[in-house]
Amino acid sequence: MTDFTTPAHDVDYAIRLDRLDKIYRGKDGKPGKHALKSLTLDVPRGCIFGLLGPNGAGKSTMINILAGTVVKTSGAASVWGVDIDDNPRQARANIGIVPQELNIDAYFTPRETLDMISGMFGVPKAERRVDEILEEIGLTDQAHSYARTLSGGMRRRLLVGKAMVHQPPILILDEPTAGVDVALRQKLWDMIRELNRNGVTIVLTTHYLEEAEALCDRIAIINHGTLITEASTEDLLKGAGSKTLVLTLEHPPQTMPKALDAFATSLDGNQLKITYAPDKMAAGELLSRADAMGLKVVDVRTEEPNLEDVFLTLVHQDEA
Ligand code: ADP
Ligand code: MG
């Protein structure tokens, strides 16, 4: 169990963002992309927090500001009670970051890698927890194997270990399971849950909504640099107020009918999924519309929304 010192203020929050704004510099001194627009967000301590949003939403920008690799334009941010402007070094020491890319030093063993990174973080030899971390990330047996011989999943776990050598109270993972197969994903989830049980606050970005649903206590959805919603996963699913109508069609349409533009839709083979608000429209009404569009419906069922539907609906409303 890791013991984290408690600062005098912001006790309940791991991360606080207050009207955080980022405008990248464009070409020829012109202002570039407005990547974060007055983003205000609190991440409570002790949770697994999911940051969701389509590509380009601003997720990595937010993480990189906390990591100190991107400079914010305005607003404030604090990490474990430490303001990133007042004390950038301490703020950064409070987080471990697992980047999306697998940047592993191929010719070092996990043991050497963790020892080296501990040194870079100024952890004295006597206080290094290399064996403990190897155990935590399940690489004890591979401690002396060259990193280039490790599988993709093992490399990813080593990246998590690298982020944890200085025992930060917060671990941030940018797309931790991108391109990882299902069995390995499950193992990574177990490891993330175990770290969380040991007291580490976890923030992760993902575009696998299933992953967010399985892992996260709370979820924030951002789009175009703006917060769309932030809630407990349970409330998000419950309060979505949407349902999904699944139509099995005789022939899938070549293109999505224009009349469905107002809905979040997806097409999977012969199955057309339409997410709708039951308080605004009855399923029967949707069915007659489908009929009017010339869609030959051979089967109908409804589904309670999962996070994917909620996400699609919210982002769809935001675009409209
Ligand atoms: P996400 O991680 O959610 O996919 P990013 O934070 O990477 O989103 O990007 C947000 C927006 O900012 C995108 O439009 C992206 O093209 C732009 N952007 C990201 N990094 C830079 C940069 N270094 N310079 C200019 N624009 C950038
Ligand atoms: Mg990103």
Side-chain angles (χ1 to χ4, degrees):
M1 190 79 177
T2 317
D3 180 27
F4 301 122
T5 49
T6 313
H9 51 97
D10 278 352
V11 181
D12 297 335
Y13 297 105
I15 293 170
R16 304 199 81 171
L17 309 180
D18 182 17
R19 286 162 288 169
L20 195 63
D21 219 89
K22 175 64 188 180
I23 303 171
Y24 283 103
R25 216 188 299 268
K27 291 207 175 78
D28 313 319
K30 290 194 201 99
K33 183 78 194 173
H34 200 166
L36 290 181
K37 296 171 186 156
S38 198
L39 190 71
T40 296
L41 183 66
D42 288 330
V43 176
R45 293 187 180 193
C47 68
I48 303 185
F49 194 96
L51 200 59
L52 306 189
N55 249 332
K59 305 180 295 292
S60 293
T61 298
M62 187 198 119
I63 290 175
N64 294 338
I65 289 173
L66 296 174
T69 55
V70 167
V71 179
K72 67 184 163 62
T73 304
S74 64
S78 65
V79 178
W80 213 256
V82 179
D83 188 284
I84 62 167
D85 290 330
D86 292 350
N87 196 341
R89 272 178 62 101
Q90 185 54 43
R92 247 170 287 161
N94 283 341
I95 42 180
I97 298 205
V98 182
Q100 188 175 339
E101 323 79 59
L102 289 173
N103 55 346
I104 290 285
D105 314 291
Y107 294 96
F108 291 99
T109 67
R111 163 162 271 295
E112 288 166 342
T113 301
L114 294 175
D115 201 50
M116 203 158 57
I117 305 285
S118 302
M120 276 165 54
F121 273 99
V123 182
K125 279 240 185 268
E127 288 168 32
R128 294 188 189 168
R129 325 160 38 238
V130 172
D131 289 321
E132 208 178 317
I133 295 173
L134 285 168
E135 184 76 38
E136 274 171 15
I137 59 177
L139 290 182
T140 303
D141 291 346
Q142 288 77 27
H144 299 288
S145 314
Y146 285 120
R148 67 186 146 85
T149 67
L150 301 180
S151 70
M154 289 176 182
R155 289 179 190 208
R156 242 168 239 275
R157 300 211 298 271
L158 182 53
L159 283 181
V160 174
K162 283 171 72 176
M164 293 302 293
V165 293
H166 58 302
Q167 290 189 267
I170 306 168
L171 181 67
I172 301 183
L173 305 111
D174 204 353
E175 307 269 355
T177 63
V180 170
D181 71 42
V182 179
L184 280 178
R185 193 174 296 163
Q186 201 67 46
K187 278 197 171 166
L188 282 163
W189 290 0
D190 287 344
M191 189 185 65
I192 290 169
R193 287 194 186 102
E194 183 62 24
L195 285 166
N196 181 247
R197 263 196 295 276
N198 288 333
V200 182
T201 302
I202 310 274
V203 176
L204 59 95
T205 74
T206 182
H207 61 268
Y208 295 114
L209 298 163
E210 187 198 327
E211 173 163 283
E213 196 171 338
L215 270 183
C216 299
D217 308 308
R218 297 192 72 80
I219 287 172
I221 298 179
I222 60 175
N223 195 22
H224 300 305
T226 307
L227 184 71
I228 299 181
T229 190
E230 193 272 327
S232 71
T233 307
E234 199 185 342
D235 285 350
L236 203 56
L237 290 170
K238 210 164 54 194
S242 62
K243 269 198 155 187
T244 299
L245 185 71
V246 186
L247 305 179
T248 306
L249 304 172
E250 201 170 87
H251 311 285
Q254 296 297 325
T255 54
M256 201 59 85
K258 264 259 165 275
L260 289 178
D261 276 357
F263 302 90
T265 52
S266 67
L267 190 63
D268 181 11
N270 276 9
Q271 295 217 321
L272 173 63
K273 289 190 173 194
I274 309 171
T275 300
Y276 67 105
D279 55 334
K280 297 206 183 93
M281 172 169 292
E285 165 72 21
L286 257 182
L287 265 178
S288 21
R289 285 203 193 185
D291 192 49
M293 286 167 224
L295 299 174
K296 286 258 178 304
V297 179
V298 293
D299 189 34
V300 185
R301 66 192 159 85
T302 59
E303 279 178 356
E304 291 307 314
N306 60 19
L307 191 58
E308 177 117 30
D309 304 321
V310 173
F311 176 81
L312 286 174
T313 307
L314 288 170
V315 171
H316 194 82
Q317 279 166 2
D318 186 57
E319 304 293 340

